[in-house]
Amino acid sequence: MLIFQVTVIIMSLKAASLGLNMVTASHVLLIDIWWNPTTEDQAIDRAHRIGQTRDVHVSRFTVKNTIEDRILALQVHNVLSFFTFLRVVNA
């Protein structure tokens, strides 16, 4: 008989981006997207810290034709605006 031990921690995106280093995490599931993509990136980076020995898989769950589509579009706009700003400043 095989016995698997699974440990799960569920937290909001804001909590995950503020200070817990999850070096034993092997999966990150984004369920509550945030308008600022750097907040999501920081939460994901918590699983990619020094001491991490596993591959980390990241999945984002969204629902089509909802406010989440608009938030994702806003994220793309914010990233493009940031890189455009950097190009202008460095020119």
Side-chain angles (χ1 to χ4, degrees):
M1 175 196 297
L2 292 175
I3 299 174
F4 295 100
Q5 180 179 357
V6 177
T7 303
V8 176
I9 183 169
I10 299 173
M11 64 183 73
S12 71
L13 183 62
K14 289 298 280 185
S17 68
L18 289 178
L20 291 175
N21 290 336
M22 300 171 286
V23 294
T24 60
S26 59
H27 290 81
V28 176
L29 307 174
L30 295 175
I31 297 171
D32 57 336
I33 63 172
W34 197 254
W35 65 271
N36 185 347
T38 58
T39 302
E40 289 183 354
D41 292 343
Q42 190 174 22
I44 294 166
D45 288 345
R46 296 287 176 191
H48 288 281
R49 294 291 183 209
I50 295 172
Q52 176 60 274
T53 58
R54 304 179 195 183
D55 290 336
V56 176
H57 305 278
V58 179
S59 300
R60 174 181 288 154
F61 294 90
T62 61
V63 179
K64 285 181 114 178
N65 301 320
T66 64
I67 189 71
E68 291 177 336
D69 279 340
R70 293 165 65 190
I71 292 172
L72 290 172
L74 183 59
Q75 284 183 347
V76 170
H77 172 75
N78 288 346
V79 168
L80 292 175
S81 295
F82 175 72
F83 284 115
T84 300
F85 172 77
L86 283 181
R87 246 185 276 126
V88 170
V89 169
N90 291 327

